[in-house]
Amino acid sequence: MQNLFFDTRKLDESCREAYGLTEEIMMENAAAALEGAIKERAEFKPYRNRVLILCGGGNNGADGYTLARRLRIHYDVVVFECVEPKSPLCILQRARAEKCGTRFFTLEDFTLEFLESAAVIVDCIYGSGFHGELDENVQILLNDANCVESYRIACDVPSGIDLDGNVSHGAFKADLTVSMGALKLCLFQDMAKNYVGEVVCADLGVGRRLFENSSNFPLKKAALLEESDMMLPHRSDFFVNKGNFGHLAVAYGEKTGAAKIAGRAALNFGAGLVTLVDLENPEPDFSSVSEELMTSTSIPSNVSAIALGMGLGRSEKAQGTIQKYFDFLAANKEIPCLIDADVFYFEKLADFLAERCRKVVLTPHPKEFQSLLKICGFGEYSVDECVRKRPDLIEGFCKKYPKCVLLVKGANPMIGYFDGRKYNLYVNSFGRPSLAKAGSGDVLSGLAAALLSQKYSSIDAVASASLAHAIASRGIGCDYALTPLKLIDCVARL
């Protein structure tokens, strides 16, 4: 895992104090990181051989002027002064770049020729200090910059994205974002995913670990999940049988396809037995269920986990079914459960969570999260607010229901967990747009429930299932042709 900080400005100050660094030293290292990215990644051609640097008036702009000085002898460097230099370091670094023969232009000089001849465009306008809306002239420049074939690099944070991850109209779309010193949570918010490209972290004069540990007081942070954090249910013991790997019960309801997908995903992710359970119909039609899945009209006596909600429905009959499962789970508190989909519209969910939130996993998408928050007394939020304010809303929910694991789906799913003493927020950035398909969420539910049935802790089950779900989606090259069954097949190849 890698640390994600809500705000790194305090870290910058702490680093200078702890290690005797100056802002100029840190700035030189920031420019060196940008220079290295250009040399490593940019493709220069005879007709496209320019480095175009867009500079603001603060220290992000100063990074750009420092970069221009460093590149001046090696490349055709042009600087656009999008904002007049204001900070002392920005004024100083501009003067240094000018002495090296750097060419400067203002927005009034802008023509498309500058962009079309640029192999690289480097955004050093605002960085992490941005808030509000972009200036109209800057918007025009960035809109044009986003449309050319140049390789686009953002210094620290693409201009137009604030520290909460909100994106202003006309924000810079980077192919690469070089986050300075430490990674920032705003770069991994759903709203920012179209704008940050690949995200890397640059050292600013000391190693990253020293930088992150320079503060004497705790700073608010999250954790970015990595592929190495995924714990797949590989089997090392030979003297085993299916009972060693758990028995998952999947609630079977009105839309039967969802339960079938979840059950099949679970069986392909290590669960020893999977049973589709229909509690309402004495003689349900299981004729279309795959032979590898078992069926029943009652919860198996040896059940080791329950997955509830996928396709269950919202009718009065379905609500009665949900209550039966809640009664069973309240009486069997050691059996873990995964709650998804239609259950998030069940008014008595709050009562259930108040009685029992340990070994409970919740996996809503933003609209379901909206309903969950309302039912549990957090108030009414729009779906947009549930996306933009997701980190704070997840934290509030998890602290009200300790030891419950909440995964809110999205472009970058977020997972919250409060054990009663420490709160943790995890972010999964591996997801692809191919997952935006009916049934993808049912696969995720099946994967997480399968690990619960195999005695994974709730947080390990959710984190590993979320990673497997996202990473498996990369097994299909076509970004529109992924289906739930193809996704399950890709999971088996991890």
Side-chain angles (χ1 to χ4, degrees):
M1 296 181 192
Q2 300 183 62
N3 288 324
L4 296 176
F5 292 87
F6 282 67
D7 189 344
T8 61
R9 288 173 292 189
K10 292 287 186 183
L11 275 178
D12 289 340
E13 297 174 13
S14 299
C15 185
R16 290 194 293 272
E17 293 173 4
Y19 309 120
L21 301 178
T22 65
E23 283 189 281
E24 282 192 66
I25 291 175
M26 296 173 74
M27 192 166 287
E28 207 65 47
N29 280 280
L34 294 170
E35 179 184 9
I38 290 170
K39 290 180 176 179
E40 179 184 343
R41 298 164 184 264
E43 183 179 350
F44 291 88
K45 298 179 180 179
Y47 60 90
R48 192 182 291 277
N49 61 356
R50 176 174 292 161
V51 176
L52 180 61
I53 305 173
L54 312 177
C55 288
N59 283 357
N60 198 256
D63 290 341
Y65 288 116
T66 307
L67 174 65
R69 167 171 53 79
R70 296 176 66 98
L71 295 178
R72 171 67 184 85
I73 199 68
H74 304 291
Y75 302 100
D76 174 21
V77 179
V78 170
V79 172
F80 259 90
E81 298 182 311
C82 301
V83 181
E84 182 180 348
K86 295 178 182 177
S87 75
L89 271 178
C90 192
I91 294 169
L92 174 63
Q93 297 292 8
R94 186 199 184 280
R96 289 173 174 171
E98 185 175 26
K99 289 178 181 179
C100 293
T102 304
R103 290 185 293 159
F104 303 108
F105 296 89
T106 66
L107 290 178
E108 295 177 355
D109 304 312
F110 170 70
T111 66
L112 282 175
E113 187 276 333
F114 284 104
L115 296 175
E116 291 170 347
S117 61
V120 184
I121 301 173
V122 186
D123 165 29
C124 298
I125 305 176
Y126 293 112
S128 59
F130 175 79
H131 57 86
E133 294 294 328
L134 289 168
D135 174 81
E136 184 177 352
N137 290 325
V138 173
Q139 278 189 37
I140 294 171
L141 172 62
L142 294 184
N143 276 327
D144 288 335
N146 290 339
C147 294
V148 296
E149 295 180 6
S150 310
Y151 190 77
R152 294 183 291 274
I153 300 175
C155 175
D156 204 29
V157 176
S159 291
I161 299 178
D162 66 20
L163 280 178
D164 293 321
N166 297 307
V167 179
S168 170
H169 179 70
F172 185 76
K173 284 189 174 183
D175 296 299
L176 174 73
T177 296
V178 182
S179 184
M180 298 304 173
L183 294 179
K184 298 159 183 66
L185 178 62
C186 66
L187 300 175
F188 298 91
Q189 288 274 43
D190 278 8
M191 304 84 74
K193 190 154 187 172
N194 282 341
Y195 295 84
V196 298
E198 181 186 354
V199 180
V200 298
C201 186
D203 292 340
L204 296 182
V206 295
R208 183 171 166 189
R209 182 175 298 178
L210 285 176
F211 184 90
E212 293 182 355
N213 293 332
S214 61
S215 176
N216 290 323
F217 51 89
L219 294 174
K220 194 172 183 181
K221 62 184 178 180
L224 180 67
L225 294 172
E226 299 179 280
E227 187 168 355
S228 58
D229 296 313
M230 178 174 60
M231 296 182 288
L232 297 173
H234 288 299
R235 302 177 176 186
S236 56
D237 291 340
F238 289 88
F239 185 48
V240 292
N241 60 64
K242 60 191 177 187
N244 293 110
F245 303 105
H247 189 166
L248 173 67
V250 179
Y252 195 74
E254 294 175 5
K255 298 178 181 178
T256 59
K260 295 173 191 175
I261 290 171
R264 186 165 178 175
L267 201 62
N268 275 265
F269 209 47
L273 303 99
V274 177
T275 298
L276 304 185
V277 179
D278 190 333
L279 293 183
E280 290 303 321
N281 299 304
E283 296 183 2
D285 181 9
F286 287 127
S287 60
S288 62
V289 175
S290 172
E291 294 84 353
E292 60 192 2
L293 299 174
M294 298 187 294
T295 59
S296 177
T297 56
S298 62
I299 299 172
S301 60
N302 63 341
V303 68
S304 56
I306 290 176
L308 174 66
M310 300 74 69
L312 202 57
R314 302 185 203 172
S315 65
E316 185 175 342
K317 180 179 179 181
Q319 292 181 38
T321 301
I322 295 171
Q323 189 58 57
K324 289 179 182 178
Y325 278 104
F326 281 178
D327 292 342
F328 177 86
L329 290 166
N332 296 272
K333 289 184 168 58
E334 293 306 308
I335 295 178
C337 69
L338 180 140
I339 293 173
D340 190 28
D342 294 323
V343 181
F344 296 123
Y345 299 93
F346 183 53
E347 292 291 339
K348 294 184 179 180
L349 174 57
D351 296 334
F352 171 73
L353 292 175
E355 181 179 355
R356 180 210 154 147
C357 50
R358 180 173 171 269
K359 293 194 174 183
V360 174
V361 168
L362 305 164
T363 58
H365 59 52
K367 186 169 178 56
E368 293 164 350
F369 189 37
Q370 174 193 40
S371 177
L372 175 64
L373 291 170
K374 181 179 178 181
I375 286 171
C376 292
F378 290 91
E380 296 195 23
Y381 292 89
S382 67
V383 174
D384 180 63
E385 287 175 315
C386 288
V387 174
R388 289 190 295 105
K389 299 179 179 180
R390 194 167 47 156
D392 292 335
L393 292 173
I394 291 175
E395 180 176 2
F397 184 92
C398 289
K399 287 186 174 178
K400 182 174 180 178
Y401 300 106
K403 299 188 178 179
C404 168
V405 176
L406 173 64
L407 179 153
V408 182
K409 299 167 189 172
N412 288 332
M414 290 187 177
I415 304 166
Y417 177 65
F418 178 58
D419 65 6
R421 293 177 299 174
K422 183 181 178 183
Y423 171 72
N424 290 292
L425 179 68
Y426 305 92
V427 182
N428 176 4
S429 65
F430 288 99
R432 291 166 54 89
S434 57
L435 287 168
K437 190 74 67 76
S440 289
D442 302 319
V443 174
L444 175 61
S445 296
L447 299 180
L451 297 184
L452 290 174
S453 74
Q454 295 171 78
K455 297 184 169 37
Y456 278 57
S457 70
S458 297
I459 187 61
D460 287 343
V462 175
S464 293
S466 180
L467 286 168
H469 185 254
I471 293 169
S473 71
R474 302 184 172 201
I476 297 291
C478 182
D479 59 9
Y480 59 81
L482 185 66
T483 65
L485 297 186
K486 289 179 183 177
L487 179 59
I488 292 169
D489 289 340
C490 290
V491 168
R493 294 196 293 270
L494 289 174

